Amino acid sequence: MYDYAVVGSGIGGSSVAAYLHAKGKKVILFEKEPYLGGCSSTFGRKGQLYNTAATTLAGYQEGFAVKEIFDAAGFTPDLLPVDPSIVVIQGEKTTPRYKDFEKFLEVLESNYPHAKNRAFWTLVYEINNAFYDYKEHYYESATLLKKLRSLVSFLPLFKRFRPYLFEDAASFIERFYGSLEGEYKAFLEAQVLIVAQAPLKEINFFTAALSLGYTFRDNFYVLGGMGQLFEGLVKKIPDVMRKSEIKSISVHDGYFELHGKFVSTRARRVILNATVYDAAKLFDAPHAKRYYKKQEKQDNRQSSFVLYMKIKSEKTFAHHYQIIEEKPFAYSFSQALFVSFSDQNDTQMCEKGYYSITASIHTNADFWNDPLEYPRKKQELQDILKEIIFMRLGIEENEVVACFSATPKTFMRYIKREQLGGNAMRMKNFLPTLSGNDTPIEGLYQVGDSVYPAQGWPGVMMGVKNLIRLLDA
Ligand SMILES: Cc1cc2nc3c(=O)[nH]c(=O)nc-3n(C[C@H](O)[C@H](O)[C@H](O)COP(=O)(O)OP(=O)(O)OC[C@H]3O[C@@H](n4cnc5c(N)ncnc54)[C@H](O)[C@@H]3O)c2cc1C
């Protein structure tokens, strides 16, 4: 019997499995796919590697959850610091998001001059520093009493950030600046959306400030592809079961039984890294099914369309660009495209003289439901994105070696989720309504971007830390 069975090898699943193994627990990790990492994996196609979705590693620095968990698991990743962490292109304006505050402010001021810029970005900077300095909060949600008790741990944060919690970020920013140009608003909106996964009017300014400020901290490119992190993390775990989808989990007194096509395993505790929206079908036990059926209501259908390319080019590109256009893209609710290039010296990822590109925009999973329209829409959006990238970054059609794309349906086929980006901390979905890392089912836990606290490496790893605290491991 295992101490823990972890279902899914995304950021949450792989990290908690590696941590628990390092603490001497008997752990088994199941992953449906041959490659590990889910949204943050790296896959191969026709001999070329591509990052599936995530391309930037933030939060690997002293005092932050990513580094803390990697260190505890005994894993040191192979990384390249990236500064600027993104280069934002909006029409004729290019704004590198430098880590250095003054350097960034100088470019910002020349592109979007405003008397309030310094005060605004100083506030963003200060909120980030103050938040990451405070580490005593935790979140428990299995029962009302536990929830209320854990919320008390947020009181110092609540007191400190109260002015930024109850007004939506769009109104706060308007009020702060007095007058705002549409172009600068779109600049802020686009950068908040890629981190917070929600528009400014749906989140508070506290969440917006944390999203805008991630570029002031260390950001990294992962050599060999993001997927290398997972290979490194789980290397010492003897039982990593790839190509092993768990199809059902039965709940017993004091243990669980997990069933796949070729496996059947018992564990005292289960940690789900599948999204909570897709978990009800795994359970027959009525209380577990009921619990996950309720979580399905949180599925906002937000998702991504991703374009992959391999190009041959002598040019030097930045690692990450955000291209902001004047109108939202077709089949999207966003006017911003995020484009990442492999490092030109990363020969594990791509041979010299070539680049592997992953470019993504936000979409809604329901835009892709009609099977008759699907192929046409997919081709149309792929062509649009390709054209924008060519135009803005100076790439020629004859440099393209490979080009293909993924819709929410593709993500469902491979990693069992259509909703991407997880459960954002919107104002109507702030604590205490957010699902936590514990569940009302004894011994059943969950981790990943569909539960507390949010998405991406920094967000999911805060959830891993929270879970470890709840497990008392
Ligand atoms: C387009 C895009 C770009 C992004 N860019 C960034 C970025 O640059 N930096 C960043 O930090 N974050 C980024 N993110 C967010 C980040 O990728 C996700 O928040 C994070 O990877 C989610 O991790 P997770 O722990 O929720 O697991 P997931 O990624 O959801 O992985 C879950 C895993 O579980 C497996 N699984 C599911 N069900 C089963 C089952 N029944 N049996 C076995 N296995 C199962 C799946 O195959 C999958 O591998 C991006 C997301 C998207 C969509």
Side-chain angles (χ1 to χ4, degrees), residues 20-71:
L20 291 169
H21 173 74
K23 292 286 165 198
K25 305 291 180 199
K26 194 171 176 216
V27 180
I28 184 164
L29 173 64
F30 292 101
E31 170 53 52
K32 175 189 169 283
E33 286 298 302
Y35 50 84
L36 307 176
C39 295
S40 299
S41 59
T42 302
F43 66 92
R45 181 168 146 140
K46 298 186 178 165
Q48 173 55 48
L49 295 180
Y50 301 91
N51 281 323
T52 302
T55 49
T56 315
L57 175 67
Y60 184 77
Q61 62 189 89
E62 276 324 319
F64 284 74
V66 180
K67 174 111 177 24
E68 208 176 299
I69 304 289
F70 281 17
D71 286 353

Side-chain angles (χ1 to χ4, degrees), residues 7-12 30-33 37-40 53-56 244-246 273-274 282 304 306 360 414-417 420 448-449 455-458 460:
V7 181
S9 72
I11 297 177
F30 292 101
E31 170 53 52
K32 175 189 169 283
E33 286 298 302
C39 295
S40 299
T55 49
T56 315
S244 293
E245 179 179 349
I246 292 302
N273 185 217
L282 293 174
S304 301
V306 187
S360 57
Y414 289 102
I415 62 164
K416 307 290 288 177
R417 59 183 293 183
L420 298 170
D449 65 13
Q455 67 117 32
W457 278 99
V460 176

Side-chain angles (χ1 to χ4, degrees), residues 341-455:
F341 287 72
S342 57
D343 186 83
Q344 60 183 347
N345 297 315
D346 184 0
T347 49
Q348 270 175 282
M349 192 72 182
C350 229
E351 64 265 46
K352 201 105 187 106
Y354 292 81
Y355 288 95
S356 168
I357 300 174
T358 298
S360 57
I361 59 163
H362 285 87
T363 186
N364 184 301
D366 293 332
F367 296 168
W368 303 91
N369 283 344
D370 182 348
L372 295 176
E373 286 288 306
Y374 180 88
R376 181 190 61 74
K377 284 183 175 175
K378 190 176 176 192
Q379 189 62 51
E380 187 188 332
L381 191 48
Q382 178 173 306
D383 292 344
I384 293 172
L385 299 188
K386 215 167 92 173
E387 198 185 311
I388 299 281
I389 294 172
F390 286 4
M391 186 170 72
R392 298 290 181 203
L393 302 178
I395 298 170
E396 307 282 337
E397 179 71 57
N398 63 12
E399 292 175 315
V400 178
V401 179
C403 178
F404 58 101
S405 46
T407 70
K409 301 280 171 226
T410 322
F411 279 91
M412 179 50 105
R413 177 153 27 105
Y414 289 102
I415 62 164
K416 307 290 288 177
R417 59 183 293 183
E418 267 187 310
Q419 200 284 352
L420 298 170
N423 207 345
M425 276 226 199
R426 291 163 203 255
M427 288 186 78
K428 64 173 186 201
N429 189 32
F430 212 65
L431 298 178
T433 55
L434 204 62
S435 310
N437 302 114
D438 52 347
T439 76
I441 299 101
E442 179 89 37
L444 180 62
Y445 298 85
Q446 52 205 14
V447 70
D449 65 13
S450 66
V451 294
Y452 173 83
Q455 67 117 32

Side-chain angles (χ1 to χ4, degrees), residues 138-439:
Y138 75 102
Y139 185 52
E140 207 167 2
S141 68
T143 65
L144 188 62
L145 186 67
K146 284 181 173 181
K147 196 177 268 191
L148 291 174
R149 217 173 41 199
S150 69
L151 284 172
V152 172
S153 73
F154 285 89
L155 282 180
L157 273 176
F158 178 79
K159 259 171 75 184
R160 172 84 170 79
F161 297 112
R162 198 165 42 178
Y164 317 117
L165 295 179
F166 298 107
E167 186 179 6
D168 71 85
S171 310
F172 182 94
I173 294 171
E174 283 279 355
R175 201 166 46 75
F176 191 96
Y177 270 98
S179 68
L180 259 191
E181 262 187 69
E183 201 185 29
Y184 182 57
K185 252 193 233 171
F187 172 86
L188 296 178
E189 188 76 74
Q191 282 165 83
V192 165
L193 184 62
I194 50 164
V195 183
Q197 297 301 311
L200 285 168
K201 64 178 181 327
E202 292 184 17
I203 57 175
N204 58 29
F205 182 67
F206 171 71
T207 309
L210 293 183
S211 309
L212 287 170
Y214 88 94
T215 52
F216 297 126
R217 298 195 305 277
D218 293 349
N219 277 272
F220 295 96
Y221 171 89
V222 183
L223 287 157
M226 193 61 92
Q228 286 297 327
L229 295 181
F230 300 90
E231 298 301 333
L233 268 172
V234 308
K235 202 164 71 188
K236 295 184 193 139
I237 306 177
D239 296 318
V240 177
M241 316 300 285
R242 294 163 201 257
K243 295 195 209 171
S244 293
E245 179 179 349
I246 292 302
K247 303 268 191 191
S248 68
I249 302 174
S250 46
V251 184
H252 301 273
D253 211 8
Y255 71 96
F256 296 84
E257 236 173 51
L258 298 92
H259 305 282
K261 202 166 173 189
F262 305 110
V263 285
S264 192
T265 304
R266 285 181 177 188
R268 282 183 199 91
R269 285 169 161 184
V270 166
I271 300 173
L272 272 189
N273 185 217
T275 70
V276 291
Y277 328 121
D278 298 296
K281 62 181 178 297
L282 293 174
F283 295 92
D284 283 332
H287 61 322
K289 205 173 220 18
R290 215 177 309 122
Y291 172 73
Y292 282 111
K293 275 277 166 206
K294 255 199 245 161
Q295 309 298 313
E296 286 173 9
K297 289 192 204 114
Q298 309 235 25
D299 180 351
N300 60 10
R301 309 299 289 147
Q302 201 161 294
S303 193
S304 301
F305 181 94
V306 187
L307 172 75
Y308 305 97
M309 282 198 280
K310 178 182 185 177
I311 63 162
K312 184 176 192 323
S313 176
E314 297 305 318
K315 287 200 190 97
T316 299
F317 293 98
H319 290 99
H320 310 290
Y321 295 92
Q322 186 173 47
I323 301 172
I324 306 172
E325 293 295 300
E326 280 179 7
K327 288 194 198 118
F329 292 101
Y331 318 121
S332 173
F333 51 87
S334 164
Q335 57 199 87
L337 167 66
F338 195 82
V339 191
S340 294
F341 287 72
S342 57
D343 186 83
Q344 60 183 347
N345 297 315
D346 184 0
T347 49
Q348 270 175 282
M349 192 72 182
C350 229
E351 64 265 46
K352 201 105 187 106
Y354 292 81
Y355 288 95
S356 168
I357 300 174
T358 298
S360 57
I361 59 163
H362 285 87
T363 186
N364 184 301
D366 293 332
F367 296 168
W368 303 91
N369 283 344
D370 182 348
L372 295 176
E373 286 288 306
Y374 180 88
R376 181 190 61 74
K377 284 183 175 175
K378 190 176 176 192
Q379 189 62 51
E380 187 188 332
L381 191 48
Q382 178 173 306
D383 292 344
I384 293 172
L385 299 188
K386 215 167 92 173
E387 198 185 311
I388 299 281
I389 294 172
F390 286 4
M391 186 170 72
R392 298 290 181 203
L393 302 178
I395 298 170
E396 307 282 337
E397 179 71 57
N398 63 12
E399 292 175 315
V400 178
V401 179
C403 178
F404 58 101
S405 46
T407 70
K409 301 280 171 226
T410 322
F411 279 91
M412 179 50 105
R413 177 153 27 105
Y414 289 102
I415 62 164
K416 307 290 288 177
R417 59 183 293 183
E418 267 187 310
Q419 200 284 352
L420 298 170
N423 207 345
M425 276 226 199
R426 291 163 203 255
M427 288 186 78
K428 64 173 186 201
N429 189 32
F430 212 65
L431 298 178
T433 55
L434 204 62
S435 310
N437 302 114
D438 52 347
T439 76

